[in-house]
Amino acid sequence: MSRRKRSSGPVKIYITGLEQPAPRRGSSGKLFSDEISYSLSAPFVNDNDARILRELVYWNSGTGKRRVQSRLIRGKQARYGIIADPRELTPTMLRRVLMKGEDRNFLDACRLLLAGKPRKAYDLLQPLGKVADAQFLAGMLALKLGMAQKSADLLGRAMEKPEDLGDEFLRHRVAVMFDLPVTATATAHVGPTLNGVMLAMVEAKQRLRHHNDAMYVLRRLHDRLPRDIVVLLSLCEYLLDHSKAGVAEFREVIALTEGVDNDTYIHAGVLLLRAQAFRKLGEQEGAKDVLTAALRKTVDRTVAILVALRLERFELFMEMDLVGRAVEDLRRLRDLDPVLATRLERKYKDLR
């Protein structure tokens, strides 16, 4: 059984009505880059997606006034994607009569999500078995609603039609993005792409404790995106925290993370796992060097990753009997997490 510590954070959903012109001939027409994004400020990764993000329009339900939003809104308004003009998803009576039943259900499900009703949206999407985007959306909602087996089944069906993923959203000028907790310190942003579906499948399989299946999908995903830092983070954490992890897995993590730069908080998370692999192998100097390098940058780092890095180095210094340096890390930890620092002081009474 895996001992992997998972984030308890929710899977957040953002649905956005887009005033987007038809794609140019010869282009793929996809609204989503087929990569895993991790940016805290913008969920998409290419220039076209960034432009779309800048042009998002949402409607204030209280005043009815039109607003232009330069980036996705966090908090209450973005809880179920309330950053869209609902009229984009409400066809005229004539158009609705002429629409196929599956199109009506798909748009109704998106509108229900805007209204904060994910369960009703899920119920509408389930019967749309031939629509890859409907299966993707239903699978992600099932994951959010705690139905891991249903989620795995639905995402599996979506994976069978990778070439169709994103088409339905594009046709109706709707974009959807999910915040997916990947580790305790990192969140990925995924859209309706094969890689996004695969990462969500890993999460569903982990919740089901189908660890061999989760590892198989992760390996496939890493083969597809060998340089994607989010995928690397997820794979390395799984290798380290699996119950059967041993010297071979620790060595593999070190090999996989060779040459990783400290560019973002996700990269810092990968360096943390590299240090943990060195430490598990008893190579304390190697672990110390990695952690020290990772902690040289603190700008644009989340509190969670800074706490994790400080805590790892504090414990390492205690193992190495470098009490003075451990005390310095404990002082920095107190600024980040006073409760954790107090607990450590109680555990290591000699540090007072």
Side-chain angles (χ1 to χ4, degrees):
M1 185 181 300
S2 173
R3 294 175 281 112
R4 187 180 193 188
K5 296 179 181 178
R6 302 296 301 159
S7 169
S8 58
V11 178
K12 296 181 182 178
I13 308 160
Y14 303 87
I15 292 191
T16 312
L18 297 180
E19 297 178 353
Q20 180 69 5
R24 296 178 183 176
R25 182 172 296 180
S27 70
S28 66
K30 299 292 186 182
L31 291 177
F32 300 93
S33 302
D34 200 20
E35 299 177 32
I36 307 300
S37 172
Y38 54 84
S39 168
L40 288 176
S41 58
F44 307 114
V45 293
N46 66 17
D47 292 339
N48 183 53
D49 290 336
R51 182 177 60 80
I52 290 171
L53 198 60
R54 289 195 297 271
E55 295 174 358
L56 289 182
V57 174
Y58 77 97
W59 289 75
N60 186 312
S61 58
T63 64
K65 293 181 180 179
R66 188 172 185 265
R67 287 174 158 181
V68 177
Q69 181 63 31
S70 62
R71 65 191 183 111
L72 286 178
I73 305 167
R74 302 287 171 172
K76 293 182 180 178
Q77 288 217 356
R79 184 180 178 192
Y80 291 112
I82 308 173
I83 52 173
D85 177 359
R87 287 178 289 185
E88 288 284 327
L89 304 176
T90 308
T92 62
M93 182 65 71
L94 178 60
R95 184 182 163 212
R96 187 174 178 85
V97 170
L98 296 176
M99 288 175 71
K100 295 179 182 179
E102 60 187 26
D103 285 344
R104 286 196 297 270
N105 283 357
F106 186 80
L107 285 179
D108 287 345
C110 291
R111 194 164 54 253
L112 283 167
L113 276 178
L114 289 176
K117 299 176 181 177
R119 181 66 204 218
K120 289 185 178 180
Y122 168 79
D123 291 338
L124 273 181
L125 291 165
Q126 267 224 100
L128 307 182
K130 295 182 180 179
V131 182
D133 283 343
Q135 298 299 297
F136 162 78
L137 195 52
M140 296 302 285
L141 287 174
L143 194 62
K144 174 181 177 58
L145 295 167
M147 299 182 289
Q149 185 59 62
K150 259 300 186 187
S151 177
D153 294 342
L154 290 162
L155 293 171
R157 291 177 207 163
M159 287 173 63
E160 294 173 1
K161 302 176 182 178
E163 67 282 357
D164 294 340
L165 286 167
D167 287 351
E168 199 72 14
F169 291 111
L170 177 65
R171 192 157 63 87
H172 294 294
R173 297 187 180 186
V174 173
V176 62
M177 182 274 290
F178 286 83
D179 276 5
L180 185 67
V182 177
T183 71
T185 60
T187 297
H189 306 304
V190 298
T193 68
L194 178 57
N195 294 330
V197 172
M198 291 175 74
L199 192 65
M201 176 68 84
V202 172
E203 177 69 21
K205 290 296 185 180
Q206 286 176 218
R207 294 187 185 186
L208 292 168
R209 298 185 179 181
H210 296 171
H211 302 301
N212 289 338
D213 291 346
M215 179 59 78
Y216 172 75
V217 177
L218 262 178
R219 295 267 190 206
R220 282 186 57 195
L221 192 53
H222 186 253
D223 288 341
R224 288 176 57 84
L225 298 173
R227 300 179 65 181
D228 189 286
I229 197 66
V230 174
V231 176
L232 179 61
L233 176 69
S234 189
L235 176 58
C236 289
E237 190 192 43
Y238 212 93
L239 285 168
L240 278 184
D241 288 345
H242 198 274
S243 59
K244 295 181 180 179
V247 172
E249 286 73 23
F250 306 152
R251 290 293 181 196
E252 183 176 2
V253 169
I254 291 172
L256 286 169
T257 56
E258 183 69 35
V260 171
D261 293 323
N262 190 19
D263 293 335
T264 68
Y265 86 105
I266 300 288
H267 291 77
V270 172
L271 293 176
L272 172 64
L273 297 178
R274 179 175 173 82
Q276 289 175 346
F278 273 122
R279 189 177 167 196
K280 288 176 183 291
L281 288 169
E283 299 180 22
Q284 295 174 328
E285 285 295 331
K288 178 172 69 68
D289 292 343
V290 172
L291 291 169
T292 299
L295 282 165
R296 286 196 185 109
K297 290 184 180 180
T298 58
V299 178
D300 296 328
R301 298 295 184 263
T302 62
V303 171
I305 190 59
L306 289 175
V307 168
L309 288 167
R310 289 283 176 197
L311 176 60
E312 184 73 20
R313 197 170 69 166
F314 168 81
E315 293 178 342
L316 176 64
F317 283 155
M318 292 302 294
E319 284 181 6
M320 298 175 72
D321 201 26
L322 299 174
V323 178
R325 300 189 67 178
V327 168
E328 177 61 22
D329 271 333
L330 184 61
R331 185 182 66 79
R332 299 286 185 88
L333 271 172
R334 178 163 292 283
D335 295 335
L336 297 167
D337 189 337
V339 175
L340 174 61
T342 299
R343 190 162 62 243
L344 290 172
E345 285 177 349
R346 290 173 180 168
K347 180 178 179 181
Y348 300 97
K349 297 179 180 179
D350 294 340
L351 292 178
R352 292 182 179 179

